[in-house]
């Protein structure tokens, strides 16, 4: 009996060892990798890890196996589980709805830019990373790649597998090359004060769109989805680029107001009462297909083709002036030079073609009357004018072209 | 510009038009009593379930908050999505492989034993952006005769019952969700009460 009890104690002791945080953290190291002896794991360095919001939100349906793939969730889980195990003080750098970073402080900032690639059943994840200290000095830069079978373990199991493995390699790089500790990298930097240029990928905008001046102080209206999760938001007009700050936003209306701080005399007025006439001519101006087309405004003509949008939509009208990706947030302007609506969406032609339907110029804009309500709710100035009796295409084009700006959102 | 994923089903459109014609034919009938919706009813929103679409739709639509969900509101800015993932557990993979070999060896007389982890997530999205999300998870083992017709979406009877119970859990949680209350208030501010 005594010997059996002895085994039980030994087993209990083994369990305690295996379940201890230190053992768990050590056991997460990749095969064949060793850390310098002076590196403690779990590590007490206050680390902040940034991943672009667009990457964290990625998911798609794989019809061949009838299941959803969640690459974004895999990245987030790996950051939280593995990052948190190796660095218990780890915090995620996350943007609040207001566009500000969450509260917190850090000693090391790790900015990761992930890229997924699938070739012949093999899934690879590349993580380019940069590490900054609290003084925003770059202390490390590198890239790690892991390739795993897409469907192992289990259908689409490659996503969490690759995310864990690649995150692990990045974390080991940080531990091995910097030998960090709380004493070496104390939490003296505030997340709210992060230099946003350290985080973003300047090579390619995460999203692009169009905005237009709504008042003399230089505030602009655009579609809210253009600004979604922007770490840096900029406007370009006449070859000049300047930063913007978010003033107000509504996901429900898909509407936002941003401030440039640059006074203008080219703001678009709204019609008093915001009336809309079926069939009236409209001008739409935007900056579509950024990177493909030259950076000059794209002007199209059409008319108000319906007072409502698709079944179930609210607040939208239909217009026929052609639009492209990047036109979102642009103005739909009457021939009197008044704002009639804000471009928000288009029929998905690719989806309809599969059903044998080819839609033509079915585009949607939020009615200006909702913009007026929104602006009043947030005490944002705008101008209302009597419906113009002098209506020409030239007036519409001049008003729209003078007011629009190109938007670029970086993550 | 964001391209919305929308699709139009000609067959469902024809059905809808047929329903409209039927209503027109009934126009001379006495006007039915006006239906009153619960004060807590959320605005109309589209519904999609990646599993047990009809069953979950029926259960969720019975709750006071989601009386106005509809599978064909293609243009709605509001969406209720029920997403699922079904993954074999680590033990379940080995068991499943072994029992599949036995099952095949007996020409299907012995059932295949599987152990899966099912995660179900209910999301309310506004113009594609997640507003609220509730997830429920359960692991379960089931024995499947490879020749039997499966009407439980691969979940087994118990699994399907559990899946249905998540609809009740979700609607109970949604009833006290401050973000959904705020959404309803904003919607009514701009577009009026449902």
């Amino acid at each position: 009996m005594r010997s059996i009890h002895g085994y039980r104690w030994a087993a209990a002791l083994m369990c305690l060892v295996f379940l201890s945080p230190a053992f768990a953290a050590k056991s997460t190291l990749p095969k064949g990798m060793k850390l310098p002896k002076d590196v403690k794991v779990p590590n007490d360095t206050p680390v902040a890890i940034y991943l672009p919001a667009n990457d964290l939100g990625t998911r798609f349906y794989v019809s061949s196996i009838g299941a959803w793939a969640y690459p974004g969730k895999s990245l987030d889980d790996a950051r939280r589980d593995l990052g948190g195990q190796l660095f218990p003080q780890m915090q995620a750098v996350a943007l609040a709805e207001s566009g500000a970073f969450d509260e917190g402080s850090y000693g090391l900032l790790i900015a990761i830019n992930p890229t997924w690639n699938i070739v012949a059943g093999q899934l690879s994840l590349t993580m380019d990373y940069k590490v900054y200290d609290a003084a925003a000095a770059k202390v490390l830069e590198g890239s790690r790649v892991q390739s795993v079978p897409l469907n192992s373990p289990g259908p689409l199991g490659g996503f969490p597998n690759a995310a864990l493995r690649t995150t692990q390699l990045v974390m080991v790089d940080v531990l091995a090359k910097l030998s960090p500790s709380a004493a070496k990298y104390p939490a003296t930097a505030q997340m709210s004060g992060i230099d946003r240029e350290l985080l973003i990928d300047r090579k390619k905008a995460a999203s692009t769109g169009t905005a237009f001046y709504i008042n003399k102080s230089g505030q602009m209206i655009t579609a809210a989805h253009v600004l979604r999760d922007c770490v840096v938001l900029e406007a370009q007009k006449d070859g000049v680029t300047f930063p913007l700050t978010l003033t107000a936003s509504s996901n429900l209306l898909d509407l936002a107001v941003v401030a440039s701080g640059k006074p203008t005399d080219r703001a678009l007025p709204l019609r008093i009462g915001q009336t809309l006439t079926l069939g009236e001519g409209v001008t739409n101006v935007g900056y579509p297909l950024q990177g493909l087309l030259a950076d000059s405004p794209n002007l199209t003509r059409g008319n108000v083709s319906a007072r409502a949008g698709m079944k179930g939509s609210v607040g939208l009208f239909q217009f026929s002036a052609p639009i492209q990706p990047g036109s979102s947030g642009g103005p739909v302007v009457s021939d009197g030079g008044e704002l009639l609506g804000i471009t928000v969406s288009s029929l998905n032609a690719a989806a309809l073609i599969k059903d044998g339907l080819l839609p033509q110029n079915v585009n949607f804009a939020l009615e200006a009357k909702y913009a007026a309500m929104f602006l009043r709710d947030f005490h944002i100035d705008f101008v209302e004018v009597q419906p113009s009796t002098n209506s020409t295409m030239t007036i519409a084009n001049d008003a729209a072209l003078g007011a629009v700006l190109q938007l670029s959102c970086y993550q | 510009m964001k391209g919305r994923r929308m699709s139009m089903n000609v067959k469902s459109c024809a059905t809808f038009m047929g329903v409209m014609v039927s209503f027109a034919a009934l126009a001379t009938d006495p006007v039915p009593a006006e239906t009153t919706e619960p004060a807590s009813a959320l605005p109309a929103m589209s519904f999609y379930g990646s599993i047990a679409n009809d069953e979950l739709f029926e259960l969720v639509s019975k709750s006071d908050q989601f009386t106005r969900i509809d599978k064909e509101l293609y243009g709605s800015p509001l969406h209720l999505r029920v997403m699922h993932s079904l993954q074999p557990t680590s033990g379940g993979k080995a068991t499943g492989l072994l029992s599949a070999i036995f099952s095949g060896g007996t020409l299907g007389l012995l059932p295949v034993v599987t152990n899966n982890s099912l995660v179900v997530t209910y999301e309310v999205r506004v113009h594609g952006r997640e507003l609220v999300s509730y997830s429920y998870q359960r692991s379960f083992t089931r024995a499947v005769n490879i020749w039997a017709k499966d009407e439980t979406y691969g979940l087994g009877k118990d699994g399907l019952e559990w899946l249905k119970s998540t609809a009740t859990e979700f609607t109970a949680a949604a009833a006290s969700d401050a973000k959904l209350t705020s959404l309803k208030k904003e919607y009514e501010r701009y577009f009026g009460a449902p």
Side-chain angles (χ1 to χ4, degrees):
Chain A
M1 285 298 286
R2 186 177 291 169
S3 62
I4 291 172
H5 278 297
Y7 284 129
R8 281 182 183 167
W9 278 110
L13 192 63
M14 291 289 280
C15 284
L16 280 173
V17 170
F18 285 132
L19 292 173
S20 70
F23 184 86
K26 286 271 187 196
S27 67
T28 58
L29 295 179
K31 238 179 190 176
M33 278 202 171
K34 285 185 179 175
L35 291 173
K37 285 183 180 172
D38 61 327
V39 175
K40 286 183 182 171
V41 176
N43 194 280
D44 62 356
T45 311
V47 163
I49 302 179
Y50 171 79
L51 282 159
N54 275 7
D55 292 294
L56 291 173
T58 306
R59 66 178 184 184
F60 56 89
Y61 190 70
V62 184
S63 55
S64 58
I65 58 171
W68 281 84
Y70 298 93
K73 185 176 181 300
S74 299
L75 290 170
D76 202 21
D77 288 348
R79 171 171 66 173
R80 185 191 61 241
D81 297 341
L82 195 63
Q85 205 169 43
L86 294 171
F87 296 99
Q89 313 290 327
M90 189 276 292
Q91 297 174 80
V93 181
L95 277 176
E97 281 286 328
S98 63
F101 285 117
D102 288 344
E103 289 301 312
S105 55
Y106 66 90
L108 271 184
L109 170 64
I110 306 173
I112 299 173
N113 185 15
T115 310
W116 296 96
N117 198 17
I118 303 175
V119 178
Q122 279 292 113
L123 174 70
S124 74
L125 173 60
T126 305
M127 283 187 172
D128 298 326
Y129 66 90
K130 293 173 184 170
V131 186
Y132 302 91
D133 64 14
K138 187 160 61 182
V139 292
L140 185 64
E141 183 172 7
S143 182
R144 283 294 195 168
V145 187
Q146 275 289 286
S147 186
V148 298
L150 175 62
N151 292 317
S152 176
L156 304 173
F159 286 104
N161 192 8
L164 272 171
R165 288 185 186 205
T166 320
T167 305
Q168 191 178 40
L169 291 174
V170 172
M171 296 299 143
V172 169
D173 275 359
V174 173
L175 285 166
K177 293 177 182 175
L178 296 178
S179 298
S181 67
K184 193 174 174 185
Y185 297 105
T188 55
Q190 295 300 313
M191 292 229 267
S192 55
I194 289 178
D195 178 357
R196 296 179 177 224
E197 288 292 331
L198 303 181
L199 306 176
I200 63 169
D201 179 8
R202 269 275 171 204
K203 288 178 218 153
K204 193 182 175 191
S207 65
T208 62
T210 306
F212 57 93
Y213 289 117
I214 195 65
N215 58 34
K216 287 184 176 178
S217 67
Q219 287 180 304
M220 306 164 202
I221 282 186
T222 187
H225 73 259
V226 174
L227 314 181
R228 206 161 275 176
D229 300 314
C230 294
V231 174
V232 170
L233 177 65
E234 290 175 344
Q236 295 89 35
K237 188 165 180 65
D238 302 328
V240 179
T241 299
F242 46 93
L244 300 174
T245 54
L246 182 67
T247 304
S249 177
S250 166
N251 276 327
L252 178 63
L253 297 176
D254 197 2
L255 191 68
V257 172
V258 288
S260 66
K262 292 181 179 296
T264 180
D265 57 356
R266 299 304 305 264
L268 276 175
L270 278 68
R271 272 182 190 163
I272 290 175
Q274 290 85 49
T275 53
L276 192 69
T277 306
L278 193 61
E280 72 176 296
V282 296
T283 290
N284 179 262
V285 179
Y287 287 89
L289 303 172
Q290 200 181 114
L292 182 65
L293 301 180
D295 290 341
S296 72
N298 198 305
L299 186 148
T300 56
R301 291 279 300 166
N303 64 295
V304 176
S305 40
R307 287 183 180 280
M310 291 183 72
K311 183 183 174 188
S313 70
V314 282
L316 304 183
F317 69 89
Q318 192 179 313
F319 67 98
S320 62
I323 63 171
Q324 316 291 337
S327 299
S328 277
V332 178
V333 180
S334 73
D335 282 351
E338 305 124 350
L339 177 72
L340 296 181
I342 299 98
T343 306
V344 290
S345 63
S346 178
L347 262 192
N348 187 337
L352 289 174
I353 285 170
K354 288 177 191 165
D355 288 337
L357 302 168
L358 181 61
Q360 291 184 26
N361 299 328
V362 184
N363 307 313
F364 305 107
L366 178 73
E367 275 191 62
K369 71 175 178 183
Y370 297 103
M373 289 171 75
F374 177 80
L375 294 170
R376 287 192 187 102
D377 286 350
F378 285 92
H379 310 291
I380 296 166
D381 290 339
F382 63 99
V383 178
E384 286 184 292
V385 294
Q386 290 289 348
S388 175
T389 50
N390 180 22
S391 299
T392 67
M393 185 178 71
T394 313
I395 292 173
N397 294 356
D398 180 61
L401 285 167
V404 295
L405 302 95
Q406 184 176 22
L407 293 187
S408 299
C409 163
Y410 296 94
Q411 290 183 359
Chain B
M1 213 226 56
K2 182 191 164 197
R4 301 248 172 79
R5 294 187 69 82
M6 305 169 191
S7 63
M8 188 174 288
N9 186 316
V10 176
K11 191 177 165 188
S12 56
C13 181
T15 309
F16 175 70
M17 293 306 288
V19 171
M20 295 300 286
V21 170
S22 303
F23 280 141
L26 292 171
T28 53
D29 288 351
V31 178
E34 194 175 308
T35 55
T36 54
E37 284 188 332
S40 60
L42 289 166
M45 59 179 78
S46 72
F47 176 89
Y48 167 77
S50 66
I51 188 168
N53 191 25
D54 293 338
E55 291 92 332
L56 293 179
F57 175 81
E58 194 181 330
L59 287 165
V60 173
S61 63
K62 280 180 184 168
S63 77
D64 284 353
Q65 280 200 306
F66 295 98
T67 52
R68 291 169 62 84
I69 58 172
D70 188 318
K71 293 179 191 171
E72 294 181 355
L73 288 182
Y74 306 109
S76 174
L78 311 181
H79 308 277
L80 172 59
R81 297 276 181 268
V82 188
M83 315 295 288
H84 82 288
S85 71
L86 186 63
Q87 297 280 339
T89 60
S90 51
K93 270 182 289 182
T95 312
L97 178 64
L98 196 62
S99 70
I101 293 168
F102 281 130
S103 179
T106 59
L107 299 177
L109 287 176
L110 285 178
V112 177
V113 179
T114 59
N115 188 269
N116 294 311
S117 174
L118 175 65
V119 180
V120 183
T121 304
Y122 293 75
E123 308 171 330
V124 174
R125 292 185 162 253
V126 181
H127 273 306
R129 188 171 185 83
E130 182 184 296
L131 180 71
V132 298
S133 171
Y134 291 88
S135 287
Y136 307 94
Q137 182 169 9
R138 187 188 176 189
S139 295
F140 51 90
T141 303
R142 65 179 296 232
V144 185
N145 185 311
I146 59 173
W147 298 107
K149 188 181 176 188
D150 185 6
E151 294 178 337
T152 65
Y153 308 98
L155 304 178
K157 195 179 169 189
D158 288 349
L160 184 58
E161 285 308 311
W162 174 81
L163 177 65
K164 288 179 180 177
S165 74
T166 63
T168 315
E169 281 191 68
F170 163 67
T171 52
S176 57
D177 191 299
K179 287 183 178 175
L180 290 176
T181 307
S182 177
L183 171 68
K184 175 179 161 67
K185 195 175 166 189
E186 187 185 8
Y187 188 97
E188 290 175 358
R189 157 78 183 114
Y190 290 107
F191 306 117

